[in-house]
Protein backbone atom coordinates (compact mmCIF):
# COMPACT_ATOMS: atom_id res chain seq x y z
CA UNK A 1 0.00 0.00 0.00
CA UNK A 2 1.27 3.45 -0.92
CA UNK A 3 2.43 5.55 2.03
CA UNK A 4 2.81 9.30 1.68
CA UNK A 5 6.02 10.89 2.88
CA UNK A 6 3.82 13.03 5.12
CA UNK A 7 3.69 9.97 7.38
CA UNK A 8 7.26 10.64 8.40
CA UNK A 9 6.36 13.74 10.39
CA UNK A 10 5.00 13.99 13.90
CA UNK A 11 2.35 16.39 12.67
CA UNK A 12 1.07 13.81 10.22
CA UNK A 13 0.96 11.12 12.88
CA UNK A 14 -1.19 13.38 14.99
CA UNK A 15 -3.62 13.74 12.08
CA UNK A 16 -4.13 9.98 12.04
CA UNK A 17 -5.75 10.14 15.49
CA UNK A 18 -9.46 10.76 15.88
CA UNK A 19 -10.53 14.40 15.61
CA UNK A 20 -13.13 15.93 17.91
CA UNK A 21 -16.65 16.21 16.64
CA UNK A 22 -18.13 19.63 15.97
CA UNK A 23 -21.77 20.51 16.52
CA UNK A 24 -23.79 20.82 13.32
CA UNK A 25 -25.28 24.27 12.72
CA UNK A 26 -26.40 25.64 9.40
CA UNK A 27 -28.50 28.20 7.56
CA UNK A 28 -30.78 27.49 4.64
CA UNK A 29 -31.44 31.08 3.50
CA UNK A 30 -28.36 33.16 2.75
CA UNK A 31 -29.85 35.96 0.67
CA UNK A 32 -27.67 38.24 -1.41
CA UNK A 33 -23.91 38.34 -0.93
CA UNK A 34 -21.95 41.62 -0.87
CA UNK A 35 -18.66 42.61 -2.47
CA UNK A 36 -16.25 43.70 0.29
CA UNK A 37 -12.91 43.82 -1.54
CA UNK A 38 -11.48 44.07 -5.05
CA UNK A 39 -7.92 43.82 -6.40
CA UNK A 40 -6.50 43.01 -9.82
CA UNK A 41 -3.28 41.72 -11.39
CA UNK A 42 -2.72 42.94 -14.99
CA UNK A 43 -3.02 40.23 -17.65
CA UNK A 44 0.43 40.93 -19.07
CA UNK A 45 2.38 40.12 -15.92
CA UNK A 46 5.37 37.82 -16.41
CA UNK A 47 7.77 35.96 -14.14
CA UNK A 48 11.00 38.01 -13.99
CA UNK A 49 13.90 36.42 -15.87
CA UNK A 50 11.79 33.52 -17.13
CA UNK A 51 11.92 31.64 -20.42
CA UNK A 52 9.82 32.51 -23.51
CA UNK A 53 6.37 30.92 -23.73
CA UNK A 54 3.33 30.62 -25.96
CA UNK A 55 5.10 29.54 -29.15
CA UNK A 56 2.50 26.87 -29.98
CA UNK A 57 -0.77 28.75 -29.44
CA UNK A 58 -0.97 30.26 -32.92
CA UNK A 59 -0.05 33.54 -34.50
CA UNK A 60 -2.80 35.61 -32.95
CA UNK A 61 -3.20 38.29 -31.96
CA UNK A 62 -5.55 37.19 -29.19
CA UNK A 63 -7.45 40.04 -27.57
CA UNK A 64 -4.83 42.37 -29.01
CA UNK A 65 -1.86 40.36 -27.71
CA UNK A 66 0.48 38.57 -30.12
CA UNK A 67 2.48 35.51 -29.04
CA UNK A 68 5.05 34.20 -28.40
CA UNK A 69 5.78 35.95 -25.11
CA UNK A 70 9.22 36.95 -23.90
CA UNK A 71 8.58 35.34 -20.51
CA UNK A 72 6.30 33.03 -18.57
CA UNK A 73 2.93 34.71 -17.94
CA UNK A 74 1.59 34.78 -14.39
CA UNK A 75 -1.77 33.47 -15.53
CA UNK A 76 -4.57 31.05 -15.09
CA UNK A 77 -5.00 30.85 -11.31
CA UNK A 78 -6.66 27.46 -10.84
CA UNK A 79 -6.16 26.98 -7.10
CA UNK A 80 -5.32 29.08 -4.06
CA UNK A 81 -4.00 28.57 -0.52
CA UNK A 82 -4.27 31.21 2.20
CA UNK A 83 -0.92 31.56 3.99
CA UNK A 84 -2.50 33.71 6.75
CA UNK A 85 0.15 36.40 6.49
CA UNK A 86 -1.56 38.53 3.86
CA UNK A 87 -0.23 36.38 1.02
CA UNK A 88 -1.66 33.47 -0.93
CA UNK A 89 -0.18 30.61 -2.95
CA UNK A 90 -1.80 30.77 -6.39
CA UNK A 91 -1.47 27.78 -8.72
CA UNK A 92 -1.23 28.32 -12.46
CA UNK A 93 -2.94 25.71 -14.62
CA UNK A 94 -1.34 23.94 -17.60
CA UNK A 95 -0.81 27.16 -19.53
CA UNK A 96 -2.81 27.42 -22.73
CA UNK A 97 -5.50 24.76 -22.53
CA UNK A 98 -4.08 21.43 -23.70
CA UNK A 99 -0.99 19.23 -23.93
CA UNK A 100 -0.21 20.16 -27.54
CA UNK A 101 0.19 23.90 -26.99
CA UNK A 102 1.61 24.10 -23.46
CA UNK A 103 5.01 22.40 -23.60
CA UNK A 104 6.83 25.72 -23.08
CA UNK A 105 4.71 26.70 -20.07
CA UNK A 106 6.38 25.80 -16.78
CA UNK A 107 4.03 24.69 -14.02
CA UNK A 108 4.37 27.07 -11.11
CA UNK A 109 2.98 28.15 -7.76
CA UNK A 110 3.05 31.94 -7.34
CA UNK A 111 3.07 33.85 -4.07
CA UNK A 112 0.68 36.77 -4.42
CA UNK A 113 -0.24 39.64 -2.10
CA UNK A 114 -3.63 41.22 -2.84
CA UNK A 115 -4.33 44.65 -1.40
CA UNK A 116 -8.00 45.58 -1.58
CA UNK A 117 -7.20 49.09 -0.32
CA UNK A 118 -5.14 49.92 -3.41
CA UNK A 119 -6.96 47.49 -5.70
CA UNK A 120 -3.69 45.86 -6.76
CA UNK A 121 -2.24 42.36 -6.56
CA UNK A 122 1.53 41.97 -6.24
CA UNK A 123 3.52 38.87 -7.14
CA UNK A 124 6.08 38.48 -4.36
CA UNK A 125 7.61 35.10 -5.19
CA UNK A 126 6.92 31.54 -6.21
CA UNK A 127 8.48 28.28 -7.33
CA UNK A 128 8.36 25.92 -10.31
CA UNK A 129 7.22 22.30 -10.08
CA UNK A 130 9.70 19.56 -10.95
CA UNK A 131 10.43 15.83 -10.71
CA UNK A 132 14.20 15.51 -10.24
CA UNK A 133 13.85 12.13 -8.48
CA UNK A 134 12.08 10.46 -11.43
CA UNK A 135 8.81 9.63 -9.69
CA UNK A 136 6.78 10.17 -12.86
CA UNK A 137 6.76 6.79 -14.67
CA UNK A 138 6.35 8.21 -18.17
CA UNK A 139 8.44 10.51 -20.36
CA UNK A 140 8.39 14.21 -19.52
CA UNK A 141 8.72 17.13 -21.90
CA UNK A 142 11.95 18.57 -20.53
CA UNK A 143 15.23 16.75 -19.95
CA UNK A 144 15.77 18.72 -16.73
CA UNK A 145 12.42 17.33 -15.47
CA UNK A 146 10.91 20.72 -14.79
CA UNK A 147 7.20 20.05 -15.26
CA UNK A 148 5.23 21.74 -18.01
CA UNK A 149 1.66 22.07 -19.19
CA UNK A 150 2.27 19.20 -21.59
CA UNK A 151 2.93 16.90 -18.62
CA UNK A 152 0.09 17.75 -16.23
CA UNK A 153 -2.89 20.07 -16.01
CA UNK A 154 -2.84 21.07 -12.34
CA UNK A 155 -6.16 22.58 -11.30
CA UNK A 156 -6.32 22.50 -7.50
CA UNK A 157 -3.99 22.79 -4.52
CA UNK A 158 -4.04 22.25 -0.75
CA UNK A 159 -1.27 22.60 1.81
CA UNK A 160 -0.84 19.74 4.26
CA UNK A 161 0.13 19.87 7.93
CA UNK A 162 3.84 19.36 7.24
CA UNK A 163 3.99 22.24 4.73
CA UNK A 164 3.97 20.03 1.64
CA UNK A 165 1.35 20.39 -1.08
CA UNK A 166 -1.12 18.07 -2.74
CA UNK A 167 -2.29 19.06 -6.21
CA UNK A 168 -5.15 17.75 -8.30
CA UNK A 169 -4.47 17.08 -12.00
CA UNK A 170 -6.86 16.70 -14.93
CA UNK A 171 -4.73 14.64 -17.32
CA UNK A 172 -4.58 11.44 -15.25
CA UNK A 173 -6.43 12.36 -13.29
CA UNK A 174 -3.78 12.20 -10.57
CA UNK A 175 -3.04 13.46 -7.10
CA UNK A 176 0.48 14.94 -7.05
CA UNK A 177 2.42 15.36 -3.80
CA UNK A 178 5.06 18.12 -3.77
CA UNK A 179 7.52 19.50 -1.25
CA UNK A 180 7.22 23.05 0.04
CA UNK A 181 9.50 24.13 -2.83
CA UNK A 182 7.82 22.19 -5.64
CA UNK A 183 9.77 18.90 -5.75
CA UNK A 184 7.60 15.87 -6.53
CA UNK A 185 7.79 13.49 -3.58
CA UNK A 186 6.21 10.32 -4.99
CA UNK A 187 4.61 8.80 -8.05
CA UNK A 188 1.33 10.28 -9.32
CA UNK A 189 -1.64 8.70 -7.53
CA UNK A 190 -4.43 7.53 -9.84
CA UNK A 191 -8.11 7.02 -9.01
CA UNK A 192 -9.33 3.50 -9.78
CA UNK A 193 -11.79 3.32 -12.65
CA UNK A 194 -11.21 6.90 -13.79
CA UNK A 195 -8.94 7.50 -16.78
CA UNK A 196 -8.62 10.57 -19.00
CA UNK A 197 -7.70 10.41 -22.71
CA UNK A 198 -4.47 12.37 -22.17
CA UNK A 199 -2.85 9.26 -20.64
CA UNK A 200 -5.15 6.38 -21.48
CA UNK A 201 -6.24 4.62 -24.66
CA UNK A 202 -9.39 3.50 -22.83
CA UNK A 203 -10.63 6.67 -21.13
CA UNK A 204 -13.65 6.74 -18.82
CA UNK A 205 -13.85 10.53 -18.62
CA UNK A 206 -13.64 13.30 -21.21
CA UNK A 207 -10.52 15.34 -21.94
CA UNK A 208 -9.65 17.97 -19.31
CA UNK A 209 -12.42 16.72 -17.02
CA UNK A 210 -10.27 15.25 -14.25
CA UNK A 211 -9.70 16.73 -10.79
CA UNK A 212 -10.86 20.34 -10.78
CA UNK A 213 -11.48 20.73 -7.06
CA UNK A 214 -9.51 19.36 -4.12
CA UNK A 215 -10.77 19.74 -0.56
CA UNK A 216 -8.57 19.41 2.51
CA UNK A 217 -10.84 17.89 5.15
CA UNK A 218 -11.02 19.74 8.46
CA UNK A 219 -9.66 16.64 10.22
CA UNK A 220 -6.40 17.09 8.30
CA UNK A 221 -6.43 13.40 7.46
CA UNK A 222 -8.68 13.24 4.42
CA UNK A 223 -8.72 14.85 0.99
CA UNK A 224 -11.77 15.05 -1.26
CA UNK A 225 -10.93 15.48 -4.95
CA UNK A 226 -13.88 16.47 -7.15
CA UNK A 227 -14.00 15.55 -10.83
CA UNK A 228 -15.09 18.14 -13.37
CA UNK A 229 -16.69 15.62 -15.69
CA UNK A 230 -19.02 12.63 -15.48
CA UNK A 231 -17.47 9.15 -15.48
CA UNK A 232 -18.69 6.76 -18.19
CA UNK A 233 -21.75 4.90 -16.93
CA UNK A 234 -22.72 7.55 -14.37
CA UNK A 235 -25.76 9.80 -14.79
CA UNK A 236 -24.83 12.76 -17.03
CA UNK A 237 -24.08 15.80 -14.88
CA UNK A 238 -23.16 13.72 -11.83
CA UNK A 239 -19.62 14.30 -10.52
CA UNK A 240 -17.72 12.00 -8.20
CA UNK A 241 -16.43 13.41 -4.90
CA UNK A 242 -13.97 10.75 -3.64
CA UNK A 243 -12.30 10.37 -0.25
CA UNK A 244 -8.54 9.92 0.11
CA UNK A 245 -6.86 8.93 3.39
CA UNK A 246 -3.50 10.67 3.83
CA UNK A 247 -2.44 8.37 6.66
CA UNK A 248 -2.98 5.24 4.58
CA UNK A 249 -1.95 6.87 1.33
CA UNK A 250 -4.95 5.43 -0.45
CA UNK A 251 -8.53 6.07 -1.48
CA UNK A 252 -11.04 4.77 1.05
CA UNK A 253 -13.65 3.72 -1.52
CA UNK A 254 -16.12 6.20 -0.04
CA UNK A 255 -17.54 8.82 -2.36
CA UNK A 256 -20.33 11.35 -2.73
CA UNK A 257 -22.14 12.60 -5.82
CA UNK A 258 -22.46 16.26 -6.80
CA UNK A 259 -25.10 16.90 -9.47
CA UNK A 260 -24.68 19.92 -11.74
CA UNK A 261 -27.69 22.17 -12.33
CA UNK A 262 -27.13 21.59 -16.06
CA UNK A 263 -25.02 19.04 -17.93
CA UNK A 264 -23.44 21.99 -19.75
CA UNK A 265 -22.05 23.38 -16.47
CA UNK A 266 -18.73 22.68 -14.77
CA UNK A 267 -17.32 23.11 -11.29
CA UNK A 268 -14.42 25.43 -10.54
CA UNK A 269 -13.25 24.78 -6.97
CA UNK A 270 -14.27 23.26 -3.65
CA UNK A 271 -13.25 23.95 -0.03
CA UNK A 272 -14.27 22.61 3.37
CA UNK A 273 -16.64 24.31 5.82
CA UNK A 274 -16.79 21.44 8.32
CA UNK A 275 -16.67 17.64 8.28
CA UNK A 276 -19.91 17.40 6.29
CA UNK A 277 -20.15 20.65 4.33
CA UNK A 278 -18.16 22.14 1.46
CA UNK A 279 -18.38 25.26 -0.69
CA UNK A 280 -18.39 24.56 -4.45
CA UNK A 281 -18.24 26.91 -7.43
CA UNK A 282 -20.53 25.88 -10.28
CA UNK A 283 -20.47 27.81 -13.56
CA UNK A 284 -21.57 27.87 -17.16
CA UNK A 285 -19.11 28.38 -20.03
CA UNK A 286 -20.16 31.93 -20.82
CA UNK A 287 -18.22 35.14 -20.30
CA UNK A 288 -19.15 38.80 -20.32
CA UNK A 289 -22.75 39.30 -21.45
CA UNK A 290 -23.10 35.58 -22.25
CA UNK A 291 -22.32 34.60 -18.64
CA UNK A 292 -25.61 33.49 -17.06
CA UNK A 293 -24.65 31.11 -14.24
CA UNK A 294 -21.74 31.64 -11.82
CA UNK A 295 -22.68 30.47 -8.34
CA UNK A 296 -21.27 29.25 -5.04
CA UNK A 297 -23.17 26.45 -3.32
CA UNK A 298 -22.94 25.10 0.20
CA UNK A 299 -23.12 21.32 -0.18
CA UNK A 300 -23.87 18.80 2.55
CA UNK A 301 -22.64 15.23 2.15
CA UNK A 302 -25.19 13.87 4.65
CA UNK A 303 -27.84 13.72 1.91
CA UNK A 304 -30.76 14.72 4.12
CA UNK A 305 -33.41 13.87 1.49
CA UNK A 306 -31.94 10.46 0.65
CA UNK A 307 -31.67 10.99 -3.12
CA UNK A 308 -28.08 9.78 -3.30
CA UNK A 309 -26.74 13.28 -4.00
CA UNK A 310 -25.11 15.94 -1.85
CA UNK A 311 -27.60 18.60 -0.77
CA UNK A 312 -27.03 22.06 -2.27
CA UNK A 313 -27.83 25.51 -0.89
CA UNK A 314 -27.08 28.67 -2.86
CA UNK A 315 -24.91 31.07 -0.86
CA UNK A 316 -23.73 33.52 -3.55
CA UNK A 317 -24.65 34.47 -7.09
CA UNK A 318 -21.42 35.87 -8.52
CA UNK A 319 -23.34 37.69 -11.25
CA UNK A 320 -25.47 39.54 -8.68
CA UNK A 321 -23.33 40.79 -5.81
CA UNK A 322 -24.34 43.89 -3.88
CA UNK A 323 -21.71 46.62 -4.19
CA UNK A 324 -23.05 49.54 -2.13
CA UNK A 325 -19.62 51.22 -1.92
CA UNK A 326 -18.95 50.99 -5.65
CA UNK A 327 -15.72 49.07 -5.09
CA UNK A 328 -13.38 48.77 -8.05
CA UNK A 329 -15.23 51.59 -9.80
CA UNK A 330 -18.11 49.25 -10.61
CA UNK A 331 -21.87 49.76 -10.31
CA UNK A 332 -23.85 48.95 -7.18
CA UNK A 333 -24.45 45.51 -8.65
CA UNK A 334 -21.14 43.73 -9.23
CA UNK A 335 -20.70 40.90 -11.73
CA UNK A 336 -17.85 38.38 -11.83
CA UNK A 337 -18.51 37.39 -15.46
CA UNK A 338 -15.53 35.18 -16.24
CA UNK A 339 -15.61 31.95 -18.19
CA UNK A 340 -13.58 30.12 -15.55
CA UNK A 341 -13.85 30.91 -11.82
CA UNK A 342 -11.58 28.42 -10.11
CA UNK A 343 -10.45 29.64 -6.69
CA UNK A 344 -12.13 29.81 -3.29
CA UNK A 345 -10.67 30.58 0.13
CA UNK A 346 -12.66 30.87 3.37
CA UNK A 347 -11.33 33.95 5.18
CA UNK A 348 -13.78 34.01 8.09
CA UNK A 349 -17.20 32.62 8.91
CA UNK A 350 -18.93 34.95 6.44
CA UNK A 351 -16.17 36.04 4.05
CA UNK A 352 -14.94 34.16 1.00
CA UNK A 353 -12.13 35.12 -1.39
CA UNK A 354 -12.84 34.30 -5.05
CA UNK A 355 -10.38 34.43 -7.96
CA UNK A 356 -10.72 33.82 -11.69
CA UNK A 357 -8.63 31.82 -14.11
CA UNK A 358 -8.02 34.37 -16.88
CA UNK A 359 -7.01 31.81 -19.54
CA UNK A 360 -4.41 34.29 -20.79
CA UNK A 361 -4.55 35.56 -23.48
CA UNK A 362 -7.84 34.02 -24.61
CA UNK A 363 -10.58 35.11 -22.19
CA UNK A 364 -12.22 38.54 -22.30
CA UNK A 365 -15.08 38.40 -19.83
CA UNK A 366 -14.59 41.79 -18.23
CA UNK A 367 -14.11 43.84 -21.42
CA UNK A 368 -14.77 42.46 -24.90
CA UNK A 369 -11.60 42.30 -26.99
CA UNK A 370 -9.34 42.83 -23.99
CA UNK A 371 -7.49 40.01 -22.22
CA UNK A 372 -8.82 39.43 -18.72
CA UNK A 373 -6.79 40.34 -15.66
CA UNK A 374 -6.48 38.01 -12.69
CA UNK A 375 -9.03 39.43 -10.25
CA UNK A 376 -9.18 38.84 -6.49
CA UNK A 377 -12.44 39.64 -4.75
CA UNK A 378 -13.81 39.12 -1.26
CA UNK A 379 -17.51 38.65 -0.64
CA UNK A 380 -19.54 38.67 2.56
CA UNK A 381 -22.27 36.05 2.69
CA UNK A 382 -25.77 36.96 3.78
CA UNK A 383 -25.57 34.68 6.82
CA UNK A 384 -22.81 32.96 8.83
CA UNK A 385 -21.71 29.48 7.85
CA UNK A 386 -21.00 28.34 11.42
CA UNK A 387 -17.83 26.81 10.02
CA UNK A 388 -15.51 24.50 11.91
CA UNK A 389 -12.61 26.67 13.10
CA UNK A 390 -10.20 24.23 11.50
CA UNK A 391 -11.59 25.23 8.08
CA UNK A 392 -10.11 28.69 8.62
CA UNK A 393 -6.54 27.50 9.22
Amino acid sequence: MRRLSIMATAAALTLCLASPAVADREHTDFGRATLTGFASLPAQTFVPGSEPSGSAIGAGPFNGIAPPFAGQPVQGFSGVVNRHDGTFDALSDNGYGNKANSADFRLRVHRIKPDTRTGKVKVVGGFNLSDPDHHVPFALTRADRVLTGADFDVESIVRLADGTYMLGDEFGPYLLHFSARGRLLEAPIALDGVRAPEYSSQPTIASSKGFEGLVRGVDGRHLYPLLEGTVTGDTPGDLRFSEFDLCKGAYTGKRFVYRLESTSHAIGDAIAVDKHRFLVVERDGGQGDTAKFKRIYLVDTRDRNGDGLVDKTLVADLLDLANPKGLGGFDTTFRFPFQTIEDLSLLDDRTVAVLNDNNFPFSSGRTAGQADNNEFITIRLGAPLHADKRALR
Side-chain angles (χ1 to χ4, degrees):
M1 181 178 291
R2 186 189 306 273
R3 296 271 179 177
L4 294 180
S5 58
I6 186 176
M7 287 291 291
T9 70
L13 292 174
T14 300
L15 297 178
C16 298
L17 301 176
S19 298
V22 176
D24 298 320
R25 294 177 296 175
E26 59 190 79
H27 281 273
T28 57
D29 183 11
F30 281 82
R32 194 183 191 199
T34 300
L35 183 72
T36 57
F38 176 89
S40 180
L41 179 71
Q44 296 194 66
T45 302
F46 299 89
V47 178
S50 58
E51 299 175 359
S53 185
S55 62
I57 67 173
F62 304 99
N63 291 310
I65 301 173
F69 315 117
Q72 298 280 314
V74 179
Q75 71 79 260
F77 293 160
S78 60
V80 68
V81 172
N82 187 356
R83 297 188 62 86
H84 300 286
D85 61 358
T87 69
F88 294 78
D89 292 319
L91 174 69
S92 289
D93 61 14
N94 88 310
Y96 305 109
N98 57 64
K99 287 173 65 71
N101 67 9
S102 299
D104 62 1
F105 185 90
R106 303 172 95 178
L107 300 185
R108 184 173 175 85
V109 176
H110 304 277
R111 182 75 53 80
I112 63 171
K113 187 173 184 177
D115 187 341
T116 57
R117 295 169 302 175
T118 64
K120 297 180 179 180
V121 176
K122 294 182 179 179
V123 181
V124 295
F127 53 87
N128 294 327
L129 303 179
S130 63
D131 178 35
D133 301 316
H134 293 256
H135 290 299
V136 177
F138 46 81
L140 296 177
T141 302
R142 295 174 59 116
D144 62 4
R145 303 191 70 80
V146 170
L147 299 177
T148 75
D151 303 315
F152 297 104
D153 184 0
V154 287
E155 293 285 352
S156 45
I157 181 172
V158 298
R159 190 167 58 161
L160 305 181
D162 62 353
T164 64
Y165 296 90
M166 192 70 80
L167 275 60
D169 154 73
E170 285 197 321
F171 285 170
Y174 300 115
L175 292 179
L176 303 171
H177 189 200
F178 289 93
S179 74
R181 296 301 301 168
R183 187 185 188 109
L184 192 66
L185 297 175
E186 59 183 305
I189 304 169
L191 175 60
D192 288 346
V194 181
R195 302 176 300 276
E198 286 82 359
Y199 283 124
S200 175
S201 59
Q202 297 179 311
T204 60
I205 198 168
S207 177
S208 294
K209 292 296 182 181
F211 293 142
E212 185 71 32
L214 181 61
V215 176
R216 184 193 67 184
V218 294
D219 63 2
R221 173 170 179 162
H222 294 98
L223 301 178
Y224 299 91
L226 176 58
L227 293 170
E228 188 178 14
T230 301
V231 177
T232 301
D234 291 355
T235 301
D238 283 5
L239 309 181
R240 294 185 183 183
F241 229 142
S242 301
E243 182 180 72
F244 184 85
D245 190 321
L246 286 164
C247 296
K248 296 180 178 179
Y251 284 96
T252 68
K254 182 178 182 179
R255 69 173 184 244
F256 312 102
V257 179
Y258 180 98
R259 177 164 290 175
L260 297 168
E261 296 300 297
S262 166
T263 56
S264 65
H265 290 175
I267 64 98
D269 198 11
I271 56 173
V273 172
D274 58 32
K275 64 180 180 179
H276 298 297
R277 297 180 300 153
F278 306 144
L279 293 178
V280 176
V281 174
E282 183 175 335
R283 60 171 182 81
D284 63 14
Q287 62 176 342
D289 291 340
T290 68
K292 304 300 181 184
F293 193 103
K294 313 288 181 181
R295 295 181 178 178
I296 302 175
Y297 285 101
L298 177 65
V299 305
D300 194 325
T301 62
R302 287 169 291 190
D303 183 17
R304 298 287 178 77
N305 61 3
D307 64 356
L309 309 170
V310 298
D311 302 324
K312 297 167 63 175
T313 300
L314 178 65
V315 298
D317 183 345
L318 298 175
L319 297 177
D320 182 28
L321 297 173
N323 186 21
K325 297 182 180 180
L327 299 179
F330 295 97
D331 292 336
T332 53
T333 292
F334 178 84
R335 287 167 49 86
F336 207 55
F338 300 107
Q339 180 181 18
T340 45
I341 301 169
E342 301 191 351
D343 314 89
L344 294 176
S345 180
L346 188 60
L347 303 184
D348 63 39
D349 197 52
R350 290 184 66 171
T351 306
V352 182
V354 188
L355 294 76
N356 66 308
D357 176 350
N358 70 343
N359 297 310
F360 179 82
F362 305 116
S363 289
S364 57
R366 181 61 73 192
T367 304
Q370 181 175 311
D372 282 330
N373 297 332
N374 286 300
E375 294 186 9
F376 175 101
I377 64 171
T378 59
I379 60 174
R380 179 174 171 81
L381 304 181
L385 292 164
H386 297 299
D388 188 316
K389 292 182 179 179
R390 294 172 294 179
L392 300 173
R393 298 173 183 169

